[in-house]
Amino acid sequence: MIRLLYSSQAAHDITEQDITNILEQSRKNNLDADITGVLVYGGHLFMQVLEGPELAVLKKYVTICEDPRNSLSKIIYISYTDKRMFADWSMGTIQCEPVALQKIFDLNSRAAETIAPESFRETMRDFLRRLNSAKKDQ
């Protein structure tokens, strides 16, 4: 099983209805593919964690990359895991204020550059704190 974290830029004309449609379809498809995860969005930025069987997660990511509702997709983190973080969510969702995702957006825009390890670790810690806080609230 793997866990994959990626970010992408939402299409400029994306609507709340589009996001609702994405979530509804993802929940159905992910359940069938044994994928769990969470979608975090704010402004025009998506971040998503996908976890499940390696082939299923990688196929899902390719499908996401081909979806015209987003672009500039970048993998931030991928690893093997024995335990799911989002076992109860076929696709959870967290809506954030755009400014709350600014650090992640900055990492996304510099993905081809070298990022200071401490900056990356602190950003990921902040992201995980937000995820854990949102899980407690649901």
Side-chain angles (χ1 to χ4, degrees), residues 34-97:
D34 192 29
I35 294 174
T36 56
V38 63
L39 175 68
V40 181
Y41 67 97
H44 281 83
L45 181 67
F46 290 129
M47 291 205 57
Q48 188 170 30
V49 175
L50 300 170
E51 52 192 14
E54 183 175 6
L55 185 58
V57 169
L58 295 176
K59 281 183 176 180
K60 179 71 167 184
Y61 180 69
V62 169
T63 300
I64 290 165
C65 289
E66 294 172 345
D67 189 326
R69 295 173 291 190
N70 76 100
S71 62
L72 303 174
S73 183
K74 301 252 179 18
I75 293 174
I76 296 172
Y77 176 82
I78 187 169
S79 72
Y80 288 101
T81 183
D82 293 329
K83 185 176 179 186
R84 294 177 189 257
M85 290 177 66
F86 305 100
D88 297 331
W89 294 359
S90 62
M91 185 47 57
T93 181
I94 302 169
Q95 184 173 5
C96 291
E97 293 296 320

Side-chain angles (χ1 to χ4, degrees), residues 3-8 45-49 61 72-79 101 103-109 111 115 120-121 123-124 127:
R3 180 174 301 122
L4 183 147
L5 167 65
Y6 77 90
S7 66
S8 66
L45 181 67
F46 290 129
M47 291 205 57
Q48 188 170 30
V49 175
Y61 180 69
L72 303 174
S73 183
K74 301 252 179 18
I75 293 174
I76 296 172
Y77 176 82
I78 187 169
S79 72
L101 295 177
K103 287 182 183 178
I104 302 296
F105 182 79
D106 290 344
L107 286 178
N108 184 46
S109 67
I115 298 169
F120 181 78
R121 282 191 297 272
T123 301
M124 290 299 99
F127 180 65

